[in-house]
Amino acid sequence: MSDPAQPVPEPAHTDQAVIRNFCIIAHIDHGKSTLADRMLQLTGVVGERQMRAQYLDRMDIERERGITIKSQAVRLPWRGAGDQHYVLNLIDTPGHVDFSYEVSRSLAACEGAVLLVDAAQGIEAQTLANLYLALDADLKIIPVLNKIDLPAAQPDRYAAELANIIGVDPGEVLRVSAKTGEGVRELLDEIVTQVPPPSGDPDAPARALIFDSVYDTYRGVVTYVRVVDGHLTRRERSLMMSTGAAHETLEIGVISPEPSPSGGLGAGEVGYLITGVKDVRQARVGDTVTSAASPAKEALAGYDNPRPMVFSGLYPVDGDEYPELRDALDKLRLNDAALVYEPETSTALGFGFRCGFLGLLHMEIVRERLEREFGLSLISTAPNVVYRVVLESGRELRVTNPSDFPGGASGGTPDGAGKGKAADGKVAVIYEPVVRATIISPSTYIGTIMELCQGRRGALIGMDYLSADRVEIRYTMPLAEIIFDFFDQLKSRTRGYASLDYEPDGEQQANLVKVDILLQGQPVDAFSQIVHADNAREYGLAMTARLKELIPRQQFEVPIQAAVGSRVIARENIRALRKDVLAKCYGGDITRKRKLLERQKEGKKRMKTIGRVEVPQEAFVAALSTQPATR
């Protein structure tokens, strides 16, 4: 066994037979990062003085929120049974459903997965989602119960539950405490025993899969790769197969846990390479790296393109920062392959980008990273999903922005069925995205969960009891009903015990309308929203009331209206701010005062006809960031 204080020396040449590539997958807050900390300590790659909690969580946001956002790869030397040296490549993955694309990419670089379950909480919805991803990738699954030292832990009960789902004997479920280190040595030995070594031809032309990358201000793009065939060496020219760009490899090495340069990487190894490339578009995640001298004929399969679930506009508060926002998005895209964006223009907010995200947390994290890492001040519009609109002429529109929706206050007269006039005809039918939601909860909350889901236009698919008092409920629901406050409502109704996971499940026809918000009769595109016809009035009332609080009083009366087409469904008035024109009158004839008041009255009439409403930036930020619920 290894001495935790002394790192195990690695063999000069890393043979494929001693390499084990594995990742840790689990629900959020089940102890992945803590288990990774214990592994770093046990293998001796991090000394006691350098050790800190959540060592592999490098971003401030991760440490503040206590969640993993980015997968992190690290190389661990280990001395197993019979004094045999092994090299373990660990990838610590995120647990939240919004970062499942990170998990899927990590799985492609591994042969095994440690499925971690909290012994006090049991199986959660996202645990099942990550398990299915690992099974699809044909990985060896090692079931592990964590937090067995907690007073509330029920390892026997949850071991049986986990064994039933995976199809193993309950005695095969390992039990560890990542906090105290109990059982972690045995887990590492089991990884060596159960996870197969990587398969690949060391004599074939080099092929390495890019599974992550990051931008360094001084060194350019740092690319993280898993070598599948052949070997890559320093100072040889490497070729990106999809772009055809060839560059000299300036540095190549492994992460243990800090970057450590080496002579090269062989088949089965995980590491990094630096070519000095400054153009972020030349190092795409999922691309294949090969040797320019003897390139491979076929590229590796790569990854499926991520499908954005939620769209939102990002605009700089200062319009002059638009170029900086574009560069920041390019660099962040390198580190977050699931981010999708394209330029767009808003009448109210100026130039910005329409960004696609995998969920609300993903959207929140991206905005916070842009503001922290690149020093930008941003406004994000209300999140919405992608709609497919079919016009009577047969033409199809893909609507990601409410301002692109046919019909509205400035053009078109929708009727109650959600139809409106567009430039080339009326809307025939509207389709909205649907998701298959899986909720795992104590059985005592079945009633309140079903009430919530049916109130959000959900349709029950099925229900299974995982154990005597834990139930899995499956619904199909419109994605638009989930992205606002569904998860918050679910947590509050179940006292925090329910967990939610969802995946795309096609689309369905829907009765949708676009609600426009008008100031002084002019629609403000930033406040427009596409909602179900039954919720349109409620949304209009909530938004007009909120804007009445946020927009300061003007010198004239300002009507705030919510309209569906040409039909106004809600209205609030901001009363005029009256200047005291009589302040300079100290007594005197009443006719003098009346003359001043009449002149003010005439001025207000003229101001109302030509006046424009000044909406402060703070009103946009407050109205769009804390979006009023439609229910």
Side-chain angles (χ1 to χ4, degrees):
M1 289 289 181
S2 65
D3 178 4
Q6 297 293 327
V8 180
E10 288 189 31
H13 173 69
T14 306
D15 183 19
Q16 274 184 266
V18 301
I19 298 175
R20 300 291 185 272
N21 298 321
F22 72 100
C23 61
I24 306 175
I25 56 175
H27 186 84
I28 192 168
D29 200 31
H30 276 211
K32 297 177 300 300
S33 298
T34 310
L35 180 60
D37 288 347
R38 296 294 80 74
M39 290 181 174
L40 292 174
Q41 282 184 300
L42 270 176
T43 53
V45 295
V46 178
E48 292 295 331
R49 295 184 65 181
Q50 291 81 30
M51 193 63 205
R52 65 174 191 270
Q54 296 172 259
Y55 191 90
L56 294 180
D57 290 345
R58 303 300 173 89
M59 287 188 283
D60 291 339
I61 306 175
E62 292 180 312
R63 305 184 66 79
E64 287 170 14
R65 291 173 176 251
I67 60 174
T68 301
I69 295 167
K70 284 293 302 171
S71 297
Q72 295 291 345
V74 61
R75 183 185 179 105
L76 308 171
W78 181 247
R79 187 180 293 143
D83 210 30
Q84 172 67 50
H85 294 284
Y86 293 95
V87 173
L88 310 180
N89 288 312
L90 156 69
I91 302 181
D92 181 26
T93 64
H96 197 279
V97 63
D98 281 12
F99 304 108
S100 58
Y101 189 63
E102 285 281 322
V103 179
S104 66
R105 298 205 322 271
S106 302
L107 295 175
C110 299
E111 282 78 35
V114 173
L115 180 68
L116 203 63
V117 173
D118 189 329
Q121 296 182 48
I123 294 284
E124 304 273 17
Q126 289 161 34
T127 314
L128 287 178
N130 289 327
L131 170 62
Y132 296 146
L133 284 175
L135 291 173
D136 288 343
D138 199 23
L139 300 191
K140 172 62 181 176
I141 308 294
I142 302 177
V144 179
L145 281 178
N146 188 23
K147 305 187 184 181
I148 58 171
D149 58 310
L150 291 180
Q154 302 178 57
D156 293 336
R157 172 188 169 189
Y158 292 125
E161 193 174 285
L162 189 54
N164 182 47
I165 291 171
I166 298 178
V168 297
D169 188 83
E172 296 178 41
V173 179
L174 301 178
R175 303 179 184 193
V176 304
S177 170
K179 185 176 180 181
T180 64
E182 181 186 349
V184 179
R185 287 177 181 275
E186 291 75 12
L187 172 58
L188 288 169
D189 285 333
E190 285 297 321
I191 289 168
V192 167
T193 306
Q194 296 190 36
V195 176
S199 60
D201 187 353
D203 300 319
R207 290 196 304 171
L209 182 67
I210 300 177
F211 68 87
D212 204 359
S213 50
V214 66
Y215 186 83
D216 185 281
T217 309
Y218 302 103
R219 314 185 76 182
V221 178
V222 180
T223 306
Y224 298 103
V225 295
R226 154 73 195 270
V227 182
V228 177
D229 296 321
H231 60 274
L232 296 171
T233 57
R234 185 170 171 267
R235 291 299 177 192
E236 72 171 343
R237 288 184 69 77
S238 57
L239 174 70
M240 305 291 177
M241 294 190 73
S242 70
T243 60
H247 305 278
E248 184 177 357
T249 305
L250 303 178
E251 183 177 313
I252 193 167
V254 297
I255 304 136
S256 184
E258 305 302 327
S260 173
S262 66
L265 293 173
E269 291 193 90
V270 175
Y272 71 94
L273 59 93
I274 299 173
T275 58
V277 176
K278 295 287 185 179
D279 184 359
V280 297
R281 294 175 185 84
Q282 292 188 10
R284 288 177 45 247
V285 167
D287 198 358
T288 302
V289 182
T290 186
S291 170
S294 55
K297 292 184 174 61
E298 289 186 9
L300 296 166
Y303 307 108
D304 294 334
N305 290 323
R307 288 189 292 176
M309 304 276 276
V310 176
F311 284 83
S312 174
L314 284 179
Y315 297 85
V317 171
D318 182 357
D320 294 338
E321 289 186 346
Y322 175 77
E324 286 87 342
L325 175 58
R326 182 184 57 223
D327 294 342
L329 282 168
D330 282 343
K331 291 173 182 174
L332 191 62
R333 169 79 190 276
L334 188 71
N335 192 234
D336 185 353
L339 176 63
V340 178
Y341 58 91
E342 59 185 22
E344 78 166 358
T345 309
S346 163
T347 310
L349 301 175
F351 292 101
F353 290 89
R354 194 78 188 160
C355 301
F357 308 97
L358 298 185
L360 281 187
L361 180 64
H362 186 212
M363 182 183 93
E364 192 179 333
I365 293 296
V366 166
R367 177 181 166 174
E368 198 165 340
R369 287 187 70 184
L370 287 169
E371 291 183 339
R372 286 192 185 202
E373 296 175 23
F374 301 97
L376 299 170
S377 297
L378 302 174
I379 296 173
S380 57
T381 61
N384 61 278
V385 300
V386 188
Y387 299 99
R388 185 164 65 92
V389 180
V390 182
L391 304 175
E392 288 186 349
S393 63
R395 191 163 74 94
E396 285 193 7
L397 301 176
R398 183 174 175 270
V399 177
T400 61
N401 190 342
S403 61
D404 298 333
F405 195 79
S410 54
T413 311
D415 59 24
K419 296 182 179 180
K421 290 183 181 178
D424 56 353
K426 289 184 178 181
V427 173
V429 65
I430 303 166
Y431 295 95
E432 65 177 347
V434 177
V435 295
R436 178 188 292 259
T438 302
I439 300 168
I440 295 181
S441 164
S443 54
T444 51
Y445 300 111
I446 290 176
T448 186
I449 291 172
M450 294 180 78
E451 181 189 355
L452 174 65
C453 293
Q454 285 161 6
R456 299 300 179 99
R457 299 190 282 137
L460 182 66
I461 304 173
M463 186 164 55
D464 292 318
Y465 279 85
L466 301 175
S467 61
D469 58 350
R470 279 166 66 77
V471 66
E472 175 187 331
I473 308 172
R474 295 180 300 280
Y475 268 89
T476 54
M477 299 177 67
L479 177 59
E481 297 286 347
I482 283 183
I483 64 171
F484 281 113
D485 63 341
F486 179 80
F487 188 61
D488 293 338
Q489 288 284 329
L490 180 66
K491 283 291 185 183
S492 63
R493 291 185 182 216
T494 60
R495 300 183 184 177
Y497 285 110
S499 60
L500 169 72
D501 179 62
Y502 57 87
E503 59 184 13
D505 193 39
E507 58 185 15
Q508 69 180 15
Q509 188 175 336
N511 178 13
L512 303 172
V513 294
K514 174 186 171 186
V515 179
D516 282 302
I517 303 298
L518 290 75
L519 295 179
Q520 198 76 349
Q522 295 298 315
V524 182
D525 58 350
F527 295 137
S528 298
Q529 188 63 282
I530 300 168
V531 298
H532 194 266
D534 295 343
N535 303 329
R537 176 170 164 76
E538 205 166 336
Y539 174 82
L541 288 169
M543 201 63 174
T544 51
R546 181 147 188 80
L547 288 175
K548 181 183 179 182
E549 297 173 7
L550 295 169
I551 298 176
R553 291 168 67 185
Q554 317 281 318
Q555 291 287 329
F556 50 91
E557 186 176 357
V558 178
I560 305 172
Q561 297 168 302
V564 175
S566 59
R567 180 168 58 92
V568 175
I569 57 174
R571 173 173 176 145
E572 294 280 357
N573 287 335
I574 301 175
R575 292 181 57 199
L577 186 68
R578 180 179 175 182
K579 182 181 177 183
D580 188 2
V581 292
L582 304 180
K584 59 185 177 181
C585 293
Y586 298 100
D589 190 5
I590 187 64
T591 55
R592 185 182 171 204
K593 294 182 181 179
R594 194 172 291 140
K595 182 181 175 183
L596 288 170
L597 291 171
E598 288 296 327
R599 189 182 298 169
Q600 182 187 46
K601 189 175 177 182
E602 287 297 320
K604 281 191 179 292
K605 276 187 184 177
R606 188 166 63 251
M607 191 183 291
K608 191 169 185 178
T609 57
I610 64 172
R612 288 198 53 182
V613 182
E614 293 296 328
V615 182
Q617 207 77 54
E618 296 76 27
F620 280 108
V621 175
L624 297 177
S625 59
T626 55
Q627 189 67 27
T630 58
R631 293 195 169 274

